[in-house]
Amino acid sequence: ESAFTVGEAVRTRALWLLMLAASAQSMVSTGLMFHQISLFGSRGLSSATAAGVFGVIAPAMIAGQFLSGFLADRYPLRYMVAAAQLSITASVLFVFLISAPWHAFLYGAILGLTVGFLMNSMMAIWPLYYGRQHLGSIRGVAQFASMAASAAGPLPLAIAFDVTNSYNAGLVIFAVVPLACGVAALLAIRPRAPGSTLTPASFES
């Protein structure tokens, strides 16, 4: 298997592209969940309904992880990560259509499934690309992007609401960001292992 040190990993293009790809889920899901009660209230739903949706998101995340695990041995992980970005965008756009409680619960199921799917796909891609010997330090560097994106997640919706008295502008930003991250995921080709004579195409995953 590949055995990158953290220094070798940070010099590969794939690591930075994957860090970018991982940031969309952290930013968007944190932002949406942080503002969920207020966001659903703006769509005419009660706080009880908004709180109830959290009960759907959690089991849907578990289902998404099982689905990702099932598909991981069958399809390239970077394609799975890219596909999940489209689902994030779909989840955000679905918010504009919410007008009844069942819409909210369906939204929660889609969002939870997507978050679980993407989280598990990203967890699997790091050891596949960079090996297990220095995985802790590599993940430590890569996790910085996710944590920073998660911390910044509530800001776009908050600023949009303060400026325009509506969440719409923030939601548009949240719909666009995953598309750019999806392109990053597609470009994140598995790097050649240190000392290997094989070409990067031989490591395609």
Side-chain angles (χ1 to χ4, degrees):
E1 67 174 31
S2 303
F4 287 79
T5 65
V6 65
E8 292 166 338
V10 297
R11 289 193 292 270
T12 65
R13 185 181 68 166
L15 181 133
W16 299 98
L17 291 171
L18 290 175
M19 286 173 63
L20 177 60
S23 66
Q25 177 265 318
S26 298
M27 173 180 283
V28 175
S29 62
T30 301
L32 290 175
M33 293 182 194
F34 189 90
H35 291 282
Q36 184 159 291
I37 292 178
S38 178
L39 183 61
F40 283 9
S42 70
R43 307 301 301 174
L45 302 181
S46 68
S47 58
T49 297
V53 172
F54 286 113
V56 174
I57 292 176
M61 287 176 62
I62 297 173
Q65 292 187 18
F66 276 108
L67 178 61
S68 173
F70 175 78
L71 297 176
D73 292 332
R74 294 164 174 79
Y75 300 99
L77 284 169
R78 65 190 180 99
Y79 292 164
M80 292 172 55
V81 172
Q85 307 296 336
L86 295 177
S87 187
I88 294 176
T89 293
S91 298
V92 175
L93 295 178
F94 192 81
V95 174
F96 288 104
L97 304 177
I98 293 176
S99 60
W102 73 269
H103 294 162
F105 288 104
L106 179 58
Y107 152 84
I110 296 172
L111 179 63
L113 188 73
T114 303
V115 170
F117 185 94
L118 187 52
M119 287 176 60
N120 198 61
S121 298
M122 290 304 305
M123 288 180 66
I125 206 168
W126 295 115
L128 178 67
Y129 273 38
Y130 296 104
R132 295 169 292 174
Q133 187 173 355
H134 303 284
L135 182 60
S137 55
I138 293 171
R139 284 287 307 278
V141 171
Q143 196 67 13
F144 171 79
S146 294
M147 297 301 294
S150 180
L155 286 176
L157 291 180
I159 294 172
F161 189 82
D162 285 346
V163 173
T164 67
N165 200 34
S166 170
Y167 286 112
N168 289 351
L171 290 172
V172 169
I173 293 173
F174 275 2
V176 172
V177 167
L179 299 179
C181 292
V183 174
L186 290 176
L187 295 176
I189 298 173
R190 184 179 178 184
R192 186 177 64 180
S196 173
T197 59
L198 297 177
T199 63
S202 302
F203 288 90
E204 179 61 39
S205 177

